[in-house]
């Protein structure tokens, strides 16, 4: 670490009450803005200079600011191992070998943090989590680059790497400083198009009538970048203010018991909102730095104006006003959702087959391990999966009563249903994600107990109803309303095979259906074994 670099942060820690390393993290993200401005102005014809600049800045952050020599070694082991696997291991199992290697190495880091981590001290696990997404995607892209184009989806064709990148490009991709510690993650093909500037190619009329020529023009990005920075700082300031009012320690203390149950529920909602502000701030700031570098560019909109949403990771307004679980989860940690969909869920699904419980189970397990090993994560994930199931039942069996018979036009009381959905979603998920804040198993259950396990009780009652004759009664009512019979799944058809059945953040879209699928497969396997045994016995009898 650079001598004396801690002094101003120690002073700020005493003045604000925030952890020193958290302040240093914000400092490095803000410092990425002027560095991104310099990066953007390095010669486009000399990408090696850009790569070396990015590597140098990231090394300054890790070693000069945070003294993460051990963390640098950890990232080197992950990145070096992934590159070697992609380069030297041949065959269809290469991406899976890399996946197991990277996830296993990250799991070791999670265990070390759980056993020896110090609250408020930045370690390498955050950067490693971002790297796992980038490097597993990298290995799949190398694998796809060796396959015939006819065997690839449109997404795979866009991200495939027919030629193995050189080590300098790869290292700079791994150590891209604007998103080093907090993301967002992105694919190497996107990085390559950015570093060689083909991302910004536009077609303009040629000198001869009817002809065209290509011209590279990097749009100005300082305004959207500054806006993201201002918003990000606003979220951080709001977090620092509200975190003094809403604390997990108070919710677990004796003073919390003096509140009425409705007030406790409100407190848990406010606690969750306060914690989200921290992530809003960090993700907005890192996205702004990526935009300033040019990597956030995502083509032109219908008005021929540049879009800067390539690396958007969160939509606070959509999340805080979400009226259902899918909208809520889909607005949070979007890049992780995309990674789970494109590089876990769809990769587990055999070509030409519909995704099944194996795909959902693999996605769920990957997401859970990727987040960490604290018991609170798993309490949240398991509860969240059943929240999604109940939400789906309401969407398919209750929502149609508030729509016109065509199923598209809102009915007279649709607004009331939307308000109910908003309250149920926001309050329900604040309860569900509370263990994500508490982390400890015993304390998480204690906090849930202090609000009478109201979400779990609601889940249980809903599942009992929708798996009873009550569902058939609802379907008869729907038939009388819309003039056609409802299936056991409701009026809405199941998503197509191309949809992400695994649910946002890897949560199973319908764990009850997954359990049924597992039971059916076990029975089918058992029947197959019995049939083979009978055939074998008959053949033995005939031979005698």
């Amino acid at each position: 670490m650079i001598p004396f670099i801690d002094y101003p942060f120690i002073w700020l820690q005493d003045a604000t009450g925030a952890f020193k390393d958290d302040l240093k993290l914000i400092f490095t993200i803000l410092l990425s803005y002027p560095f991104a401005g310099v990066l953007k102005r390095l010669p486009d014809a000399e990408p090696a200079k850009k790569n070396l600049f990015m590597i140098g800045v990231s090394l300054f952050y890790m070693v000069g600011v945070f003294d993460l020599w051990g963390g640098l070694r950890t990232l080197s082991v992950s990145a070096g191992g992934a590159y070697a696997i992609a380069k030297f291991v041949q065959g269809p199992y290469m991406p899976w070998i890399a996946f197991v290697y990277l996830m296993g190495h990250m799991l070791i880091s999670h265990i070390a943090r759980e056993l020896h981590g110090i609250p408020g001290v930045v370690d390498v696990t955050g950067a490693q989590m971002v790297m796992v997404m980038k490097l597993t995607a990298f290995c799949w892209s190398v694998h796809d680059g060796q396959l015939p184009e006819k065997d690839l989806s449109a997404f795979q064709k866009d991200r495939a790497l027919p030629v193995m990148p050189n080590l300098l490009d790869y290292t700079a991709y791994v150590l891209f400083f604007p998103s080093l510690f907090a993301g967002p993650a992105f694919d190497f093909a996107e990085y390559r198009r950015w570093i060689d500037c083909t991302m910004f190619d536009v077609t303009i009329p040629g000198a001869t009538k009817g002809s065209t020529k290509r011209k590279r023009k990097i749009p100005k990005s300082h305004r959207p970048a500054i806006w993201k920075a201002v918003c990000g700082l606003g979220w951080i300031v709001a977090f620092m203010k509200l975190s003094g009012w809403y604390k997990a320690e108070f919710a677990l203390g004796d003073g919390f018991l003096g509140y009425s149950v409705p007030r406790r529920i409100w407190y848990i909602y406010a606690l969750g909102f306060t914690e989200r502000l921290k992530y809003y701030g960090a993700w907005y700031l890192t996205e702004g730095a990526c935009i300033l570098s040019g990597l956030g560019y995502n083509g032109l909109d219908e008005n021929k104006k540049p879009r800067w949403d390539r690396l958007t990771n969160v939509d606070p307004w959509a999340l805080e006003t979400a009226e259902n679980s899918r909208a809520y989860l889909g607005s949070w940690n979007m890049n992780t959702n995309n990674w789970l969909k494109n590089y876990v869920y769809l990769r587990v699904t055999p070509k030409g087959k519909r995704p099944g419980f194996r795909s959902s189970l693999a996605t769920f397990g990957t997401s859970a391990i990727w987040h960490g090993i604290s018991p609170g994560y798993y309490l949240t994930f398991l509860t969240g999966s059943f929240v999604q199931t109940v939400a789906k039942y309401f969407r398919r069996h209750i929502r149609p009563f508030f729509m016109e018979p065509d199923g598209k036009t809102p009915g007279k009381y649709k607004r009331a249903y939307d308000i109910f959905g908003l309250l149920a979603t926001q309050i329900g998920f604040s309860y569900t994600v509370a263990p994500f804040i508490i982390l400890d198993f015993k304390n998480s259950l204690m906090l849930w107990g202090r609000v009478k396990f109201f979400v779990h009780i609601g889940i249980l009652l809903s599942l009992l109803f929708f798996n009873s004759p009550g569902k058939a009664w609802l379907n008869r009512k729907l038939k009388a309303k819309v003039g056609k019979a409802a299936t056991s799944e409701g009026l809405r058809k199941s998503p197509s095979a191309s949809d992400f059945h695994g649910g946002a953040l890897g949560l199973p879209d319908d764990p009850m259906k997954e359990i049924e699928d597992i039971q059916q497969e076990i029975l089918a396997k058992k029947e197959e074994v019995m049939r083979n045994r009978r055939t074998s016995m008959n053949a033995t009898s005939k031979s005698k």
Side-chain angles (χ1 to χ4, degrees):
M1 185 170 63
I2 297 175
F4 313 119
I5 201 167
D6 263 2
Y7 289 176
F9 298 105
I10 292 173
W11 177 82
L12 285 172
Q13 177 178 256
D14 294 338
T16 64
F19 288 116
K20 177 188 67 176
D21 273 17
D22 288 342
L23 294 169
K24 290 165 74 172
L25 183 60
I26 296 173
F27 166 75
T28 59
I29 295 174
L30 291 175
L31 193 59
S32 294
Y33 281 76
F35 280 150
V38 174
L39 175 63
K40 195 174 182 179
R41 285 160 178 78
L42 293 177
D44 295 337
E46 301 179 72
K49 289 184 178 179
K50 292 187 175 183
N51 286 330
L52 291 172
F53 180 79
M54 283 184 285
I55 294 170
V57 172
S58 287
L59 292 178
F60 164 67
Y61 287 171
M62 294 193 67
V63 177
V65 178
F66 287 104
D67 200 27
L68 287 175
W69 287 101
L72 183 61
R73 180 180 64 249
T74 296
L75 297 188
S76 300
V77 170
S78 279
Y83 189 86
I85 291 170
K87 186 175 179 64
F88 298 112
V89 177
Q90 304 297 319
Y93 296 109
M94 181 274 287
W96 294 114
I97 294 172
F99 178 85
V100 172
Y101 171 78
L102 291 165
M103 290 290 290
H105 190 209
M106 184 185 64
L107 182 60
I108 293 172
S109 296
H110 279 316
I111 293 172
R113 179 178 175 83
E114 186 74 17
L115 295 177
H116 308 295
I118 302 174
V121 175
V122 170
D123 65 7
V124 78
T125 51
Q128 192 175 9
M129 290 168 71
V130 176
M131 183 179 292
V132 164
M133 290 193 287
K134 293 169 72 172
L135 297 188
T136 52
F138 172 82
C139 290
W140 274 112
S141 296
V142 172
H143 169 267
D144 292 342
Q146 309 307 311
L147 299 178
E149 281 199 8
K150 63 181 179 62
D151 295 337
L152 303 178
S153 67
F155 177 84
Q156 290 173 300
K157 291 176 185 177
D158 182 67
R159 306 303 167 90
L161 299 175
V163 179
M164 190 72 180
N166 62 59
L167 276 172
L168 181 60
D169 284 347
Y170 177 79
T171 304
Y173 165 68
V174 169
L175 296 177
F176 184 72
F177 67 83
S179 63
L180 178 64
F181 290 111
F186 48 90
D187 291 350
F188 186 87
E190 296 174 289
Y191 177 81
R192 182 180 59 189
R193 288 193 286 266
W194 170 75
I195 198 73
D196 64 17
C197 294
T198 56
M199 177 183 287
F200 310 103
D201 280 353
V202 295
T203 302
I204 62 175
T208 308
K209 183 178 180 181
S211 67
T212 61
K213 64 178 181 178
R214 302 192 68 80
K215 177 183 179 182
R216 184 184 64 77
K217 182 181 179 182
I218 302 177
K220 294 181 179 179
S221 59
H222 61 281
R223 287 185 178 179
I226 292 173
W227 173 247
K228 286 287 183 179
V230 171
C231 290
L233 290 173
W235 294 124
I236 294 294
V237 170
F239 165 74
M240 295 179 67
K241 179 66 175 178
L242 292 179
S243 61
W245 298 350
Y246 301 103
K247 300 179 180 179
E249 294 79 7
F250 178 77
L252 298 172
D254 294 337
F256 193 60
L257 297 176
Y259 288 2
S260 65
V261 172
R263 189 177 178 186
R264 294 177 200 174
I265 293 173
W266 160 255
Y267 193 96
I268 291 176
Y269 166 78
L271 177 64
F273 175 73
T274 301
E275 287 293 315
R276 289 194 295 275
L277 292 175
K278 176 172 58 178
Y279 293 95
Y280 292 165
W283 286 338
Y284 260 58
L285 288 173
T286 56
E287 185 186 346
C290 291
I291 289 173
L292 191 60
S293 73
L295 188 58
Y297 179 72
N298 198 22
L300 304 176
D301 61 18
E302 62 276 5
N303 298 317
K304 304 300 181 182
K305 293 184 178 180
R307 292 169 51 199
W308 296 100
D309 57 355
R310 177 182 295 275
L311 301 180
T312 296
N313 205 32
V314 67
D315 186 339
W317 176 256
L319 188 147
E320 300 299 339
T321 60
E323 298 170 358
N324 56 70
S325 62
R326 187 172 292 273
Y328 188 97
L329 293 171
S331 303
W332 174 263
N333 212 349
M334 298 175 182
N335 285 289
T336 301
N337 283 332
N338 292 332
W339 170 65
L340 290 170
K341 173 185 176 181
N342 293 310
Y343 296 110
V344 182
Y345 185 78
L346 294 177
R347 302 293 180 159
V348 173
T349 304
K351 186 176 178 60
K353 293 187 177 182
R354 292 179 61 86
F357 74 87
R358 287 189 182 88
S359 301
S360 296
L361 185 62
T363 309
F364 177 84
T366 299
S367 182
I369 294 173
W370 181 82
H371 279 88
I373 64 169
S374 296
Y377 297 144
Y378 296 85
L379 288 174
T380 289
F381 272 78
L382 289 172
T383 302
S385 64
F386 285 98
V387 168
Q388 286 220 118
T389 299
V390 170
K392 186 189 72 172
Y393 285 156
F394 271 81
R395 185 169 64 251
R396 291 181 176 176
H397 298 283
I398 303 298
R399 184 177 180 273
F401 285 103
F402 296 87
M403 305 294 292
E404 295 298 332
D406 62 6
K408 299 178 181 179
T409 307
K412 182 179 180 181
Y413 299 104
K414 175 61 164 54
R415 190 55 189 160
Y417 176 84
D418 291 341
I419 294 173
F420 169 78
L422 173 66
L423 294 175
T425 299
Q426 298 298 327
I427 295 175
F429 270 106
S430 294
Y431 170 98
T432 302
V433 302
F436 232 86
I437 303 169
I438 305 300
L439 298 180
D440 178 74
F441 181 81
K442 180 180 178 181
N443 286 333
S444 296
L445 292 183
M446 181 175 71
L447 183 60
W448 276 347
R450 291 183 168 190
V451 289
K452 311 302 181 184
F453 292 98
F454 74 98
V455 169
H456 283 94
I457 292 174
I459 291 171
L460 178 61
L461 294 177
S462 297
L463 292 178
L464 288 174
F465 177 80
F466 286 111
N467 289 276
S468 74
K471 185 165 73 171
W473 174 78
L474 278 178
N475 286 342
R476 289 195 297 270
K477 293 291 185 181
L478 285 177
K479 180 181 179 181
K481 175 180 173 62
V482 304
K484 60 181 179 180
T487 67
S488 61
E489 294 297 323
L491 291 177
R492 289 179 175 268
K493 294 182 179 180
S494 299
S496 67
S498 62
D499 289 336
F500 188 18
H501 295 218
L505 294 181
L507 296 181
D509 193 46
D510 188 346
M512 301 300 292
K513 182 66 166 56
E514 306 297 345
I515 292 172
E516 291 175 5
D517 289 346
I518 293 172
Q519 292 174 336
Q520 291 175 3
E521 180 160 328
I522 292 174
L523 290 174
K525 189 65 176 179
K526 181 179 179 181
E527 180 61 30
E528 180 183 351
V529 170
M530 296 299 294
R531 185 168 57 252
N532 292 339
R533 183 177 297 177
R534 287 194 297 267
T535 302
S536 177
M537 291 176 64
N538 291 336
T540 302
S541 299
K542 289 180 180 180
S543 65
K544 292 181 178 180

